Amino acid sequence: MPRFHYPAFAAGFLLLFASASVPGFAQKHHDYLLTDNWKFTKGEVANAAAPAFRDAKWQTVSVPHDWAIYGPFGADNDKQQVKIEQNKEEQATVKTGRTGGLPFVGVGWYRRQLEVPGFGAGKRAVLLFDGAMSNAQVFINGKEVGRWPYGYNSFYFDITDYLQTGGNNTLAVRLENQPESSRWYPGAGLYRNVHLIVSNDVHIPVWGTYLTTPEINTEFAKVKLKTKVETPGNTFQPLRLETEVRDATGQVVATTSSTLAATDQQEFEQNLVVKAPKLWSPETPTLYTATSKLYAGDVLKDEYKTPFGIRSFKFEAGKGFSLNGQPRKFKGVCNHHDLGPLGTAVNTAALRRQLVLLKDLGCDAIRTTHNMPAPELVQLCDEMGFMLMVESFDEWKTPKVKNGYSQYFDEWAEKDLVNMVHQYRSNPSVIMWSIGNEVPDQSAPGGNKIAKRLQDIVHREDPTRPVTAGMDRIDDAIKNNFASVLDVPGFNYKPHRYPEANSKLPQGYLLGSETASTVSSRGEYKFPVELAKQKKYPDNQSSSYDVEYCVWSQIPDIEFAAQDTLPYVAGEFVWTGFDYLGEPTPYDESWPSHSSYFGILDLAGMPKDRYYLYRARWNTQAPTLHVLPHWTWPGREGQTTPVYCYTNSPSAELFVNGKSMGRQTKSNTADLRTRNRLMWNDVQYQPGSIKVVAYDAQGKAIAEETVRTAGKPHHIRLVADRTQLIADGQDQAYITARVEDAQGNLCPDATEQLRFKVSGAGSFRAIGNGDPTSLESFQAPQMHAFHGQLVAIVQTTGKPGTVRVQATAKGVKNGEVTLQTAAGKAR
């Protein structure tokens, strides 16, 4: 495979990519999800891998499973006394909720009986783990088949020689999380899917295809498909590979057949042509599918399906980034891997809901901070149209935490990079690889050499994509030739220094790899309204006026200005799309805070006001008009209560109880907020209503929004994100519960405890209210509302039917919603 050379990036490059090669369910190749009938216990257990070990008293669980999300929360769970250099701290202090305040530290054991359908002579069996947190040891019939320490990566072991042909096999997995091993909540257990892959001994291995193209134009795309094969003893056999490409409608658009020669090193290379290709982009995520059938003579040995998308992209000096020939900037967010109330246990419906919300936001890119993503996320990004920066490490050789990845780096970094790249190097959504985030090695002697070594490994395995890293130590990174090594320099929180960095570096373009870190609590408004750095309040909340930020960061408007005026800046990835468990800055030292305040959406996936600030900029296909704050302020009568409006209209007029407060127009002033926000800073609160009318460029009124003073809580209204679900035992609906007055106004200060009852073809799964200080269980079917709202998650069973959801609370009328589930493919 040819090396990637840096000048090709400077000139731009043109490629076609495939999504990860996923084994199809053909008769010769089976991928079984090992979901049910697992036994689990926490704590070290002697001889737990032995087949004769009795596990009847262990808990029965389904995988994916996060053992720590069940709590309870506690200030002593992984309490850390540390100095966070990334946060500009001068001395070590006690951090209580840094890793979420959940009991993830310790040993966990999983066991299950392993049936291997069709196993026997001429068959192979592989166990593929999409992720296991962490320090995995895998045993079959009491014998260790392999280890993998990094909890975020996918890995696999061939277990053929460990299996008993007559059945009665026992699979056991030991996992261990060390204390002070993370800077956020990592989760615990078999939190991603486990696959049993059974194939013939002549087969295409895990991640065995790699699809690119040397040329794309309006008339055709040249497709190059490399397919590895494995044979007994890897001895040569004259195999035949027949491949056909189908478009999104199922029509065959290209075919080819090849015979393996002795000189081919057990790898086919096939070239096809797709005429009049439909290009993949966030706006049009068109996918094709290549189906390859492997034959030995006339015997079908294996079948492999490779969904893929056709698109080209460039990074160019002075111009930044372009996709399919069109200049654009990444409108991206950074996301950690937890799913709020679900913890880290992956669920496709939960991921899809996040992406639906981000799509409405206008977001088109995601940085998988600071580790490899779940394969379900990458597949959804292929299908729904999101560009990905797939990241690998938060640590290299120099540690950030006592027991972080630095202890594994020398032995495992190359293995982890190879697995990451092989798994995702053909996905159309993947645009960049990131080899690290804010690694202290930026400042260490030889740090640039480590960066080059890691980048060279990535280039060796995938010469088609650029490599980046998120850098926070801009002076050291430039002085030590760390930033100049990277294909794409990524800077965290440095918009004011983009021009300086660009003038000193050779690439001619750069990226806001992590931006803003503005903090807020949904529905929480603090007075007076003023720009504030590292502001803290007695209630451990942050203001939703979007003017509070961290010691190292900025309000969004500063990054917006740099993105608008500097063409060589390729876009931004906001910290973060969603709140996540752990890192409760600025309250790292203040229990009970245990989840972040950075999100554009809260921990339960409910939009904060800041959602509409970004939507007004990013979503160019739909109007945005949002007014804040709420207008229920008993005791603030006559006091100054500023009103903000987030809109993609150029101007708007505010009315308070029918009286105009004047029209505001976006403008270029020294206060950068005036470019993106319309602000009436001198409004005095009086009960009643506030109304904002938006005007277009010609002064025509085009939209309005009214917020009224709420009365007493009267009823609960339930709103489901989806009412038609798949009866697969995994699909989920997210039901927002609103405490409203008799007229249907949200009661913004309501804190009633809501209790949920789910009946029929579904079950209660989890609950969350978005409050970063709440210590209520995510698993109990009741929780107090936070600013009048919370979200309950309902999961389907395996049987079609009707699901009835009821919410009750003292003193208010019940809320009810009905869902329907039907048989269908899992999503």
Side-chain angles (χ1 to χ4, degrees):
M1 186 176 291
R3 279 283 307 278
F4 165 78
H5 297 288
Y6 167 76
F9 279 116
F13 49 93
L14 191 65
L15 300 160
L16 168 115
F17 296 100
S19 74
S21 302
V22 180
F25 289 87
Q27 59 178 340
K28 303 301 180 183
H29 195 146
H30 296 270
D31 184 336
Y32 303 97
L33 282 181
L34 302 183
T35 301
D36 299 322
N37 301 316
W38 288 88
K39 289 291 188 176
F40 167 75
T41 192
K42 188 175 179 183
E44 188 62 276
V45 180
N47 302 315
F53 181 86
R54 296 184 178 181
D55 57 18
K57 294 184 178 180
W58 288 15
Q59 180 184 2
T60 301
V61 300
S62 295
V63 169
H65 176 248
D66 176 357
W67 84 56
I69 195 62
Y70 297 89
F73 291 104
D76 292 329
N77 285 329
D78 198 39
K79 181 187 292 184
Q80 301 182 14
Q81 183 163 347
V82 291
K83 178 178 71 173
I84 304 176
E85 294 184 7
Q86 288 73 27
N87 294 6
K88 311 295 185 185
E89 292 183 355
E90 299 290 334
Q91 60 185 13
T93 58
V94 174
K95 310 296 194 296
T96 48
R98 191 184 191 196
T99 51
L102 288 161
F104 73 91
V105 174
V107 174
W109 276 95
Y110 292 83
R111 284 171 52 93
R112 62 163 287 160
Q113 293 304 299
L114 185 65
E115 296 182 9
V116 186
F119 183 74
K123 296 289 184 179
R124 306 298 297 181
V126 168
L127 281 176
L128 168 62
F129 294 80
D130 291 340
M133 192 63 69
S134 53
N135 292 290
Q137 295 175 257
V138 180
F139 302 85
I140 296 291
N141 298 325
K143 296 181 179 180
E144 184 176 319
V145 299
R147 301 185 178 202
W148 204 277
Y150 197 30
Y152 294 105
N153 213 347
S154 298
F155 59 93
Y156 62 91
F157 302 121
D158 190 317
I159 61 171
T160 305
D161 296 338
Y162 296 84
L163 294 173
Q164 299 177 15
T165 56
N168 297 319
N169 295 290
T170 300
L171 166 62
V173 182
R174 181 188 184 275
L175 301 170
E176 182 176 8
N177 284 335
Q178 297 174 286
E180 297 189 51
S181 58
S182 181
R183 298 191 299 122
W184 56 85
Y185 176 67
L190 294 176
Y191 72 107
R192 291 179 181 168
N193 278 303
V194 181
H195 307 252
L196 170 65
I197 301 172
V198 182
S199 64
N200 289 311
D201 53 7
V202 175
H203 65 281
I204 300 168
V206 174
W207 312 326
T209 63
Y210 179 32
L211 200 154
T212 61
T213 182
E215 185 176 356
I216 303 171
N217 56 50
T218 57
E219 296 182 0
F220 63 86
K222 292 183 178 180
V223 179
K224 179 179 290 186
L225 176 63
K226 293 185 176 182
T227 305
K228 294 180 180 179
V229 294
E230 291 182 356
T231 58
N234 279 327
T235 56
F236 168 71
Q237 294 186 27
L239 305 172
R240 186 174 81 260
L241 189 69
E242 295 185 355
T243 297
E244 66 177 19
V245 173
R246 293 178 182 266
D247 64 16
T249 68
Q251 296 297 310
V252 176
V253 295
T255 60
T256 191
S257 180
S258 307
T259 301
L260 189 68
T263 57
D264 288 335
Q265 302 297 314
Q266 298 291 97
E267 183 177 74
F268 287 91
E269 182 175 309
Q270 295 181 312
N271 294 282
L272 304 93
V273 173
V274 174
K275 296 181 179 179
K278 295 182 179 180
L279 302 186
W280 185 97
S281 73
E283 294 73 31
T284 58
T286 303
L287 295 177
Y288 294 81
T289 303
T291 301
S292 300
K293 295 182 178 180
L294 181 66
Y295 290 89
D298 293 330
V299 179
L300 177 63
K301 289 292 186 179
D302 206 350
E303 181 173 317
Y304 222 71
K305 290 185 183 295
T306 307
F308 67 93
I310 301 172
R311 87 288 188 270
S312 63
F313 68 86
K314 295 180 182 179
F315 286 89
E316 296 179 283
K319 298 181 180 179
F321 175 73
S322 64
L323 179 71
N324 298 328
Q326 299 299 313
R328 63 189 296 159
K329 292 177 183 282
F330 295 105
K331 298 180 289 187
V333 298
C334 302
N335 273 346
H336 270 308
H337 69 304
D338 78 70
L339 294 169
L342 297 178
T344 60
V346 72
N347 179 276
T348 300
L351 289 169
R352 187 184 295 275
R353 175 188 180 243
Q354 286 195 338
L355 296 182
V356 167
L357 289 165
L358 291 177
K359 207 53 146 166
D360 178 68
L361 178 67
C363 172
D364 64 11
I366 296 170
R367 177 187 179 211
T368 68
T369 48
H370 298 295
N371 42 260
M372 299 81 170
E376 290 85 356
L377 173 63
V378 181
Q379 181 179 349
L380 285 171
C381 288
D382 287 347
E383 296 173 358
M384 298 176 67
F386 287 87
M387 298 178 287
L388 285 174
M389 179 200 299
V390 173
E391 194 154 79
S392 52
F393 308 125
D394 190 52
E395 277 187 11
W396 293 353
K397 293 179 74 69
T398 306
K400 294 181 184 177
V401 291
K402 181 180 178 180
N403 294 310
Y405 187 78
S406 59
Q407 65 185 307
Y408 309 118
F409 182 83
D410 287 340
E411 180 181 355
W412 287 92
E414 181 168 0
K415 299 173 187 176
D416 279 318
L417 282 177
V418 168
N419 273 23
M420 177 186 78
V421 174
H422 283 191
Q423 185 172 17
Y424 300 125
R425 63 182 174 178
S426 298
N427 287 76
S429 57
V430 178
I431 301 294
M432 289 177 284
W433 307 110
S434 172
I435 54 175
N437 170 68
E438 296 184 353
V439 294
D441 306 82
Q442 296 166 86
S443 305
N448 61 332
K449 294 180 180 179
I450 300 175
K452 185 179 186 305
R453 179 170 69 86
L454 298 179
Q455 182 168 264
D456 286 347
I457 292 169
V458 175
H459 288 167
R460 182 191 71 205
E461 303 302 325
D462 176 26
T464 66
R465 288 181 182 82
V467 173
T468 188
M471 296 175 285
D472 61 329
R473 306 182 182 192
I474 187 169
D475 292 309
D476 289 347
I478 293 175
K479 178 182 65 176
N480 296 339
N481 292 319
F482 189 99
S484 61
V485 166
L486 299 167
D487 299 325
V488 180
F491 290 105
N492 294 0
Y493 311 109
K494 299 297 184 292
H496 55 292
R497 301 190 65 182
Y498 289 161
E500 174 193 355
N502 191 59
S503 69
K504 292 180 177 179
L505 294 175
Q507 294 91 339
Y509 47 80
L510 53 83
L511 179 72
S513 44
E514 194 169 311
T515 64
S517 270
T518 302
V519 292
S520 63
S521 304
R522 177 185 53 78
E524 188 76 36
Y525 305 95
K526 303 296 188 180
F527 304 100
V529 178
E530 55 189 3
L531 290 171
K533 180 186 296 186
Q534 212 74 9
K535 182 75 171 180
K536 299 179 184 179
Y537 301 92
D539 62 359
N540 282 26
Q541 303 293 351
S542 295
S543 178
S544 199
Y545 274 104
D546 304 323
V547 291
E548 297 177 2
Y549 53 100
C550 303
V551 67
W552 68 86
S553 63
Q554 307 87 25
I555 59 172
D557 312 76
I558 296 175
E559 183 70 36
F560 293 162
Q563 294 289 334
D564 288 344
T565 57
L566 304 174
Y568 55 82
V569 179
E572 67 168 315
F573 290 82
V574 180
W575 191 263
T576 54
F578 291 80
D579 278 339
Y580 56 94
L581 290 162
E583 287 194 314
T585 310
Y587 298 104
D588 300 274
E589 303 158 21
S590 303
W591 188 256
S593 293
H594 58 270
S595 64
S596 81
Y597 298 74
F598 298 118
I600 295 172
L601 299 101
D602 72 16
L603 194 68
M606 289 182 278
K608 301 180 184 179
D609 292 295
R610 197 161 4 115
Y611 182 93
Y612 301 96
L613 176 63
Y614 282 95
R615 190 181 192 273
R617 280 181 58 87
W618 285 359
N619 188 337
T620 60
Q621 304 303 310
T624 295
L625 180 61
H626 177 75
V627 61
L628 64 140
H630 63 75
W631 209 241
T632 304
W633 297 104
R636 284 195 61 82
E637 289 80 4
Q639 296 185 44
T640 299
T641 307
V643 175
Y644 284 12
C645 173
Y646 298 154
T647 180
N648 48 14
S649 296
S651 65
E653 186 174 5
L654 172 67
F655 297 86
V656 178
N657 294 330
K659 181 181 178 180
S660 175
M661 298 290 106
R663 185 183 298 191
Q664 297 283 347
T665 301
K666 294 177 184 176
S667 59
N668 267 339
T669 69
D671 184 351
L672 297 177
R673 291 176 297 172
T674 62
R675 302 182 185 184
N676 308 287
R677 317 174 191 218
L678 301 176
M679 300 177 289
W680 293 264
N681 291 315
D682 300 322
V683 177
Q684 293 185 347
Y685 173 70
Q686 292 297 333
S689 67
I690 53 175
K691 180 175 73 172
V692 170
V693 178
Y695 299 94
D696 63 15
Q698 288 72 45
K700 178 182 177 182
I702 55 174
E704 65 178 53
E705 180 179 4
T706 299
V707 177
R708 295 179 173 84
T709 302
K712 294 182 179 180
H714 175 267
H715 62 266
I716 302 167
R717 183 159 72 95
L718 300 184
V719 182
D721 68 328
R722 300 160 58 223
T723 58
Q724 302 293 320
L725 306 176
I726 304 300
D728 60 1
Q730 297 293 323
D731 205 5
Q732 295 178 346
Y734 282 70
I735 300 171
T736 301
R738 292 169 49 95
V739 179
E740 297 180 343
D741 69 7
Q743 285 71 45
N745 299 304
L746 177 70
C747 298
D749 292 328
T751 59
E752 280 79 0
Q753 185 186 59
L754 277 58
R755 296 179 178 273
F756 284 82
K757 181 180 179 181
V758 181
S759 59
S763 62
F764 173 85
R765 178 64 180 84
I767 195 168
N769 62 11
D771 180 359
T773 70
S774 172
L775 299 181
E776 295 179 272
S777 170
F778 295 129
Q779 278 69 46
Q782 67 268 338
M783 184 172 280
H784 287 85
F786 181 60
H787 291 296
Q789 298 187 85
L790 56 72
V791 171
I793 306 171
V794 173
Q795 189 159 302
T796 64
T797 64
K799 296 182 179 180
T802 299
V803 185
R804 295 178 178 83
V805 184
Q806 183 184 69
T808 62
K810 291 182 179 179
V812 297
K813 292 184 177 180
N814 300 346
E816 294 186 1
V817 68
T818 300
L819 316 174
Q820 297 296 325
T821 75
K825 293 182 179 179
R827 293 182 294 176

